Amino acid sequence: MNETIHENDKNKLSLRVAEAKPKDISRGIARIDPDLTGAYNLSSGDAIMIFNPAKNKKTPALLWPGYREDAGAGTIRIDGPTRRNIGAALDERVEIRKIEVKKAEGVTLAPVGTPIMIKNAEYFSQILENRVLTTGDILSFHNMGGHIHLDVMNLTR
């Protein structure tokens, strides 16, 4: 669990939103055009802030290696929950910046919509490990054939 603490405005990069591959859904990751990572001093594992200037919304993600098929396309592959957090549609332009993060000691989550009972908090601890979050994000998880949507209410350091 991580909390964003500083954004580097020097290396802002504008990209077109593309759909994430199924294996990347609900993992809090982003994949960008591999031709751009070196030019913008970005590496796999970096924390980035994705900003939608049209909606003035942002959310963090972890950068993973881009797909060779996306070389030269100027795209960022993000899943539906990430797009929802920033109010972005496919083919819309967003900006990214590399950010520094600090480990959070705790996170407060609240169900969105129908109340739920959580019997195994350890499960959420495991899926949030090494993930970047910010207050106000809505996280989506598959659970026993359904979906759970949780609002990130608070992060403690």
Side-chain angles (χ1 to χ4, degrees), residues 51-62:
F51 176 67
N52 180 351
K55 301 280 174 76
N56 197 30
K57 291 184 168 188
K58 61 186 177 179
T59 194
L62 285 179

Side-chain angles (χ1 to χ4, degrees), residues 121-136:
E122 180 76 18
Y123 168 74
F124 288 103
S125 178
Q126 290 172 359
I127 61 176
L128 293 176
E129 188 68 31
N130 296 319
R131 187 163 176 167
V132 287
L133 308 170
T134 193
T135 303

Side-chain angles (χ1 to χ4, degrees), residues 95-114:
E95 298 171 352
I96 68 166
R97 294 176 185 90
K98 187 174 179 177
I99 57 173
E100 295 176 27
V101 295
K102 184 174 180 181
K103 184 172 177 67
E105 296 302 319
V107 61
T108 303
L109 302 171
V112 176
T114 307

Side-chain angles (χ1 to χ4, degrees), residues 1-155:
M1 295 175 286
N2 292 301
E3 179 177 358
T4 61
I5 58 170
H6 173 63
E7 294 183 43
N8 179 352
D9 291 331
K10 294 178 190 175
N11 292 319
K12 178 173 66 171
L13 174 60
S14 178
L15 299 165
R16 185 179 51 82
V17 175
E19 191 167 5
K21 303 260 183 174
K23 69 180 181 177
D24 292 341
I25 294 172
S26 295
R27 295 178 63 198
I29 65 172
R31 296 181 188 262
I32 68 168
D33 177 338
D35 289 348
L36 298 173
T37 53
Y40 284 86
N41 196 30
L42 296 167
S43 302
S44 180
D46 284 346
I48 60 170
M49 185 63 73
I50 307 169
F51 176 67
N52 180 351
K55 301 280 174 76
N56 197 30
K57 291 184 168 188
K58 61 186 177 179
T59 194
L62 285 179
L63 186 63
W64 277 38
Y67 294 109
R68 206 66 236 149
E69 67 197 63
D70 293 335
T75 58
I76 180 169
R77 289 188 178 270
I78 53 178
D79 64 6
T82 303
R83 293 193 306 270
R84 183 181 58 236
N85 282 332
I86 58 172
L90 295 174
D91 293 322
E92 193 169 344
R93 293 206 74 82
V94 296
E95 298 171 352
I96 68 166
R97 294 176 185 90
K98 187 174 179 177
I99 57 173
E100 295 176 27
V101 295
K102 184 174 180 181
K103 184 172 177 67
E105 296 302 319
V107 61
T108 303
L109 302 171
V112 176
T114 307
I116 60 171
M117 182 187 310
I118 298 173
K119 292 184 178 183
N120 185 2
E122 180 76 18
Y123 168 74
F124 288 103
S125 178
Q126 290 172 359
I127 61 176
L128 293 176
E129 188 68 31
N130 296 319
R131 187 163 176 167
V132 287
L133 308 170
T134 193
T135 303
D137 277 353
I138 303 293
L139 306 176
S140 297
F141 304 102
H142 299 285
N143 185 35
M144 295 161 72
H147 289 83
I148 296 173
H149 304 287
L150 301 169
D151 188 352
V152 178
M153 303 297 291
N154 188 36
L155 298 166

